[in-house]
Amino acid sequence: MKKDYFIFSNGELKRKDNTLYFVNSEGQTKPLPVEMTDGIHVLGQVQLNTTLLNFVSQHEILLHFYNHYGFYAGTFYPRARNVSGHTVICQAAHYLDNEKRLFLARAFLRSGIHHMLRLLRRYKEKTAAYVDTILSEAVKLDEANSVQELMGIEGRIRQIYYQSFNKILNYGFVFESRQKRPPTDPLNALISYGNSLLYSTIVSEIYRTQLDPTISYLHEPSRKRFSLSLDLSEIFKPLIVDSVIIACINNRIISDKHFTDLDGMVLLNEEGKRRFTAQWQEKLDKTVKHRVLKRNVSYRFFIRLECYKLIKHLIGDEVYKPLKAWW
């Protein structure tokens, strides 16, 4: 199984013969197995050249770059080889048809809400009131006549959902409000970093399919982002990111010492990123027996399966039913 590699240190990423190497600032060299590499996440200051880019492109390896603060900055996206003009035309047609677009936008949100409630019900004695409030908001999805209305409902539900974290989290981690850029407290720093990892992971999975990453339904398409990743992230944030955050905090994997305050901006330090990323990778690799495929499927592959289901819907083979975790 291919895997992602994370580079936290400064150094140089280079090609020598048919192998990738990372050489850190102290001259230590680490080989990266090309045939077993799906993507490389660059969180340090890393030098590379066009020879390296040509090499990773040949092997369909995506390079994900994060800025100094750990926020997703962009992806080197090799030339797509698994392409289908028919799929892209159908994808665009579903965006241009308001009813078809609303159907998909609602589906993404329903799945995300299902996974929010699934997580909260694990702590039902503490979160019952929040579950009831979210359910009362969720019924409004059917009444919404525009994507803007759907986004408003989602925003209210997510605020209630995050407030419930104050009943779940231990050791002084508190949610007051969602602050993205910049995060102003440790919990917001974790949410932002986790969401960045999810976004880049979904970009990688979309690349392996015939979908165009810039055509989306819940989020408006944009020249500056792969907005379809934002759509699919609604499904997987509570299922993957938030469960990792809660486990990291309540199991003392992450504590106050793993953050730094930079002029009011609270960020994970390098050790904090390493610890969170290790838990992140462990979660993505975790497998579940699939009810239809009758085999074990990793959390990461569930993202790929969601892309395949979306393609089937777009080309008219099968109505899209978003993932709703049953385990």
Side-chain angles (χ1 to χ4, degrees):
M1 179 185 297
K2 290 189 175 184
K3 61 182 294 186
D4 282 1
Y5 288 88
F6 290 78
I7 297 175
F8 298 94
S9 307
N10 298 338
E12 182 180 4
L13 191 59
K14 58 195 301 184
R15 171 192 179 179
K16 184 177 180 181
D17 298 325
N18 289 315
T19 306
L20 283 176
Y21 291 92
F22 174 66
V23 183
N24 67 20
S25 56
E26 297 176 355
Q28 298 171 323
T29 300
K30 178 181 180 180
L32 303 178
V34 174
E35 301 298 335
M36 298 301 296
T37 300
D38 189 77
I40 300 174
H41 299 252
V42 181
L43 291 105
Q45 300 298 309
V46 173
Q47 298 180 8
L48 46 83
N49 57 33
T50 54
T51 300
L52 182 282
L53 293 177
N54 286 328
F55 184 61
V56 298
S57 182
Q58 291 170 15
H59 290 274
E60 300 182 23
I61 297 172
L62 280 71
L63 299 179
H64 304 289
F65 297 94
Y66 302 77
N67 64 19
H68 175 68
Y69 306 112
F71 301 138
Y72 174 81
T75 295
F76 172 71
Y77 203 79
R79 180 173 62 87
R81 301 182 185 182
N82 189 16
V83 296
S84 167
H86 175 64
T87 299
V88 174
I89 290 171
C90 292
Q91 193 176 345
H94 277 70
Y95 169 78
L96 294 171
D97 186 304
N98 189 58
E99 288 303 314
K100 291 180 178 179
R101 182 184 178 186
L102 283 173
F103 174 86
L104 290 171
R106 284 194 189 96
F108 297 142
L109 290 181
R110 286 194 180 108
S111 176
I113 292 167
H114 171 85
H115 293 134
M116 290 180 198
L117 295 172
R118 173 180 177 272
L119 186 150
L120 295 186
R121 283 170 176 147
R122 294 179 179 174
Y123 310 89
K124 57 184 178 181
E125 293 182 0
K126 300 178 180 179
T127 62
Y130 295 95
V131 168
D132 291 342
T133 305
I134 290 173
L135 286 171
S136 67
E137 282 289 335
V139 298
K140 299 175 184 178
L141 292 176
D142 290 331
E143 304 168 5
N145 295 312
S146 69
V147 171
Q148 290 71 28
E149 288 181 59
L150 290 176
M151 291 294 281
I153 296 167
E154 187 274 338
R156 293 192 295 273
I157 287 175
R158 192 163 296 277
Q159 182 68 16
I160 297 164
Y161 169 70
Y162 281 143
Q163 288 289 346
S164 73
F165 280 26
N166 292 329
K167 301 292 185 179
I168 297 172
L169 297 175
N170 301 322
Y171 307 112
F173 282 80
V174 175
F175 179 83
E176 294 182 358
S177 64
R178 182 71 177 106
Q179 302 293 331
K180 298 180 181 180
R181 303 255 177 146
T184 55
D185 59 69
L187 184 54
N188 270 294
L190 284 170
I191 294 171
S192 291
Y193 183 63
N195 287 348
S196 287
L197 293 182
L198 177 62
Y199 181 83
S200 59
T201 300
I202 295 176
V203 168
S204 290
E205 293 306 313
I206 291 174
Y207 173 76
R208 310 296 173 191
T209 75
Q210 298 170 344
L211 291 170
D212 186 312
T214 65
I215 302 173
S216 52
Y217 305 98
L218 180 61
H219 298 82
E220 285 294 338
S222 168
R223 292 182 298 173
K224 297 182 180 180
R225 62 187 183 181
F226 294 138
S227 51
L228 184 58
S229 287
L230 296 176
D231 280 5
L232 292 174
S233 71
E234 296 295 331
I235 297 172
F236 294 99
K237 282 179 187 177
L239 185 62
I240 303 177
V241 177
D242 298 339
S243 62
V244 172
I245 289 173
I246 292 170
C248 281
I249 292 173
N250 287 352
N251 294 330
R252 301 290 289 181
I253 296 167
I254 296 286
S255 62
D256 288 342
K257 67 180 181 181
H258 297 116
F259 298 88
T260 183
D261 191 323
L262 186 65
D263 297 326
M265 181 186 301
V266 178
L267 305 167
L268 278 166
N269 59 28
E270 183 174 324
E271 177 62 20
K273 290 175 186 174
R274 288 181 184 274
R275 284 171 169 259
F276 186 92
T277 302
Q279 297 300 309
W280 167 262
Q281 290 181 290
E282 183 178 318
K283 185 73 171 183
L284 285 184
D285 291 340
K286 184 178 178 181
T287 61
V288 176
K289 183 69 172 293
H290 197 284
R291 293 190 297 188
V292 176
L293 300 179
K294 305 300 182 183
R295 62 181 176 86
N296 286 339
V297 170
S298 69
Y299 274 65
R300 183 185 187 112
F301 196 68
F302 270 111
I303 299 173
R304 180 92 57 92
L305 290 176
E306 211 62 21
C307 295
Y308 291 153
K309 288 192 296 181
L310 184 55
I311 290 172
K312 287 183 177 181
H313 175 84
L314 296 173
I315 64 176
D317 279 358
E318 188 175 312
V319 175
Y320 176 63
K321 295 181 180 179
L323 175 67
K324 292 185 178 180
W326 60 86
W327 57 92

